[in-house]
Amino acid sequence: MRQLRGFIKNRPGGSYLHVYNHTVVMENDKYPLGEIEKTKLFNTFKRYLPKYNIKLISLVVLDNHFHTLVYCPAEKLSQHDAWKAYNKFHNTGKYKVPLNDKRINAVVEHSNNISELMREVQREFSVWFNQTRHYKRRGALWEDRFKSQLIESSAYLWGCLKYIEMNPVRANIVENAEDY
């Protein structure tokens, strides 16, 4: 039985989550994520995190999938912090969106929401990928909706972090995790 996604939001003390997804199979079974794509996906994640008040613990992007460990604080962004995050994210300069704007209210409402974060990150990356890569493709880049696992113990947190960081070693890409 599937647990409802609402369990992620507003837990006392916040939540650690292991989030991951795979790309679709490309033509000739090629892996779509080269160094440029990996860097773009990494930077896209980093750009969206402050807007959603989510902290990045670890992110590893491989040739056809990614794994990330994030922390979602229990407290939502304040109206003022959401205002600052929105204006910084959209680089509004001197034309700042008013504090009581509906867009700021949406940032407050969706802060700490891993589903909204992943929707935006995967959408932005997919649009960029489809428009700029040589595959000349359209449609979904991701195999399915992202998967996430709630981490409820310190042992599981440590094990998950090791699993994510050791992924390139297990894939025989590097000998030591720090080399990736």
Side-chain angles (χ1 to χ4, degrees):
M1 184 166 158
R2 184 175 160 271
Q3 189 168 2
L4 297 177
R5 294 221 176 257
F7 75 95
I8 294 172
K9 301 172 191 152
N10 297 327
R11 293 177 59 85
S15 303
Y16 286 95
L17 298 167
H18 175 203
V19 180
Y20 53 98
N21 206 351
H22 287 79
T23 62
V24 296
V25 176
M26 303 302 283
E27 59 190 46
N28 301 327
D29 293 331
K30 287 187 177 178
Y31 294 132
L33 304 178
E35 292 309 312
I36 292 170
E37 293 81 10
K38 291 175 186 178
T39 301
K40 176 67 175 178
L41 182 57
F42 183 81
N43 289 335
T44 303
F45 259 104
K46 283 178 49 177
R47 192 166 86 81
Y48 275 94
L49 288 166
K51 181 180 172 186
Y52 286 96
N53 193 32
I54 293 175
K55 312 294 184 240
L56 180 67
I57 308 300
S58 179
L59 172 63
V60 172
V61 182
L62 296 168
D63 295 348
N64 67 340
H65 70 286
F66 68 86
H67 289 273
T68 186
L69 179 61
V70 296
Y71 175 71
C72 301
E75 309 81 32
K76 289 191 171 288
L77 287 171
S78 69
Q79 193 77 10
H80 187 261
D81 288 341
W83 175 78
K84 288 193 316 191
Y86 180 90
N87 285 302
K88 182 177 180 184
F89 179 83
H90 291 285
N91 198 18
T92 56
K94 64 181 180 177
Y95 303 105
K96 296 196 183 305
V97 173
L99 186 63
N100 61 349
D101 189 276
K102 66 181 179 182
R103 293 169 285 187
I104 305 304
N105 295 336
V107 171
V108 170
E109 180 184 339
H110 296 301
S111 64
N112 307 1
N113 188 328
I114 193 70
S115 294
E116 287 296 316
L117 169 71
M118 294 309 300
R119 180 185 62 79
E120 286 208 71
V121 167
Q122 290 184 159
R123 180 199 50 79
E124 182 175 306
F125 182 79
S126 297
V127 167
W128 172 83
F129 185 91
N130 288 345
Q131 290 176 350
T132 63
R133 304 297 84 191
H134 70 276
Y135 294 105
K136 303 290 186 223
R137 62 183 309 282
R138 295 175 37 173
L141 175 64
W142 303 101
E143 210 174 67
D144 203 354
R145 180 184 162 93
F146 73 94
K147 282 98 179 147
S148 65
Q149 301 206 341
L150 179 64
I151 299 171
E152 297 189 277
S153 72
S154 57
Y156 184 24
L157 177 64
W158 180 244
C160 184
L161 181 59
K162 287 194 311 189
Y163 173 81
I164 291 170
E165 295 292 323
M166 293 300 291
N167 221 299
V169 175
R170 282 191 306 283
N172 292 320
I173 297 171
V174 293
E175 284 188 37
N176 299 307
E178 61 267 9
D179 295 336
Y180 192 74

